[in-house]
Amino acid sequence: MALTAAVKEELSRLEVRKAPVRKAEVSAMLRFAGGLHIISGRIVIEAEVDLAATARRLRVAIAELYGHQSEIIVVSGGGLRRGNRYVVRVVRESEALARQTGLLDSRGRPVRGLPSVVVNGSAADVEAVWRGAFLAHGSLTEPGRSSSLEVTCPGPEAALALVGAARRLGIAAKAREVRGVDRVVIRDGDTIAALLTRMGAHQTLLTWEESRMRKEVRATANRLANFDDANLRRSAQAAVAAGARVDRALEILGEDVPEHLKYAGELRVAHKQASLDELGRLAEPPMTKDAIAGRIRRLLAMADKRASDLGIPGTEANVTLEMLEE
């Protein structure tokens, strides 16, 4: 939640001067953070957010843009919810504000998605819609395999409207229903970075990208280490198997093995887990890896041919399954 709070703190401080853009943000915040309630026969607007700075931003915008007064109610955390929640409540002339912000249409019916004037507005308006929706009910997880930027939506219509708004910004988002709750989700790292930029969370983006880069470097290093370990294990297993074959070859050939091939074979048997390069350095005089490999190859071929002529098991007979298993 640390990243989520950082994004919301930054967005709550973002200065926006154009009135239509601020109105788009307020409409989205009211739509995604709360809704309309009937109390004692009167319409009341309530928007519940998780940061005091977000509540103050919404309250100031409602007063400056629409001239309506509101109050902030602090709700203490409890149960599964940790930390305080902040409810911005508008009681007086709230029906007028609901019409002005698109919560009600011209006939007084609730709008389930987002007002068309907001959805079809400028690119800055669409960015403000996402900013308002994220401030209301958004979350950002740490970058990594399961990283995501999500907005919890009040219904499928609002989720589809938010997906459409993202599409207008060139950003791919998906609407999903998870355990009866509608969400809009973005999982691709580059797409998340692009949306943070469009919303105006530039400072948090730097922190998120830095963490993302560290994790990618660490993952790459782990993959390379595992790759190297696997290669070393395979090399050692191949050397042990080759040693067993050479042991059998010397047994098959007996006194008939040429001296230079016998010398290479005895090196292999004496140092069963050494690489060919290491065997070459152990030889007197030192030999290249290819020279050692060539002599061992000829030794095994000679022994296998002799075994075939005699009708006895060849050099593979000494290789066990344990030598070949990872």
Side-chain angles (χ1 to χ4, degrees), residues 17 35 48 87 98 138 159 168 185 190 205 211 238-239 276 287 289 300-301 311-312:
R17 297 183 180 276
E48 183 178 315
V87 178
R168 286 197 57 201
V185 183
D190 292 335
L205 171 62
S211 177
L276 290 170
M287 290 187 284
K289 176 176 71 174
L300 295 176
I312 61 175

Side-chain angles (χ1 to χ4, degrees), residues 91-172:
V91 178
R92 295 183 58 189
E93 299 181 349
S94 54
E95 183 173 347
L97 178 61
R99 292 178 185 274
Q100 290 171 311
T101 56
L103 295 180
L104 296 175
D105 64 15
S106 58
R107 296 182 181 180
R109 298 173 302 187
V111 175
R112 296 188 178 277
L114 286 169
S116 58
V117 65
V118 169
V119 175
N120 299 322
S122 65
D125 293 343
V126 177
E127 291 169 354
V129 165
W130 260 96
R131 185 163 54 247
F134 189 90
L135 282 169
H137 252 159
S139 65
L140 176 65
T141 60
E142 290 283 344
R145 188 174 299 177
S146 59
S147 64
S148 68
L149 186 152
E150 293 187 8
V151 174
T152 303
C153 305
E157 298 87 355
L160 291 174
L162 198 58
V163 169
R167 191 181 300 116
R168 286 197 57 201
L169 298 175
I171 289 170

Side-chain angles (χ1 to χ4, degrees), residues 18-19 29 51 76 133 142 147 150 162 166 190 214-216 221 228 243 258 284 286 297 308:
K18 293 183 178 180
M29 287 183 69
L51 290 183
S76 299
E142 290 283 344
S147 64
E150 293 187 8
L162 198 58
D190 292 335
R214 280 201 308 270
K215 290 193 175 183
E216 287 178 354
D228 288 343
E284 290 290 345
R297 192 164 51 246
S308 178

Side-chain angles (χ1 to χ4, degrees), residues 232-246 267-269 271-276 278-279 296 319 323-324:
L232 288 172
R233 284 197 302 273
R234 283 192 289 270
S235 296
Q237 287 163 347
V240 170
R245 288 189 66 194
V246 168
L267 269 178
R268 174 78 285 172
V269 171
H271 307 281
K272 288 188 177 179
Q273 292 196 355
S275 67
L276 290 170
E278 289 169 335
L279 287 182
I296 291 174
V319 179
M323 295 177 185
L324 302 176

Side-chain angles (χ1 to χ4, degrees), residues 27-82:
S27 292
M29 287 183 69
L30 292 179
R31 187 72 189 91
F32 284 83
L36 304 174
H37 304 277
I38 305 296
I39 300 177
S40 301
R42 299 175 59 187
I43 290 178
V44 174
I45 296 177
E46 288 186 344
E48 183 178 315
V49 295
D50 49 10
L51 290 183
T54 304
R56 288 193 296 269
R57 180 183 182 87
L58 179 58
R59 186 185 185 198
V60 169
I62 289 173
E64 292 180 353
L65 296 170
Y66 302 104
H68 295 283
Q69 297 303 309
S70 60
E71 60 178 333
I72 297 177
I73 301 169
V74 181
V75 180
S76 299
L80 295 176
R81 286 188 172 182
R82 295 180 180 179

Side-chain angles (χ1 to χ4, degrees), residues 142-145 210-226:
E142 290 283 344
R145 188 174 299 177
E210 183 181 348
S211 177
R212 181 186 175 196
M213 188 177 299
R214 280 201 308 270
K215 290 193 175 183
E216 287 178 354
V217 169
R218 191 179 302 121
T220 301
N222 288 338
R223 282 197 301 272
L224 289 174
N226 291 336

Side-chain angles (χ1 to χ4, degrees), residues 170-181:
I171 289 170
K174 292 183 179 180
R176 292 179 178 173
E177 183 181 328
V178 182
R179 293 188 291 275
V181 178

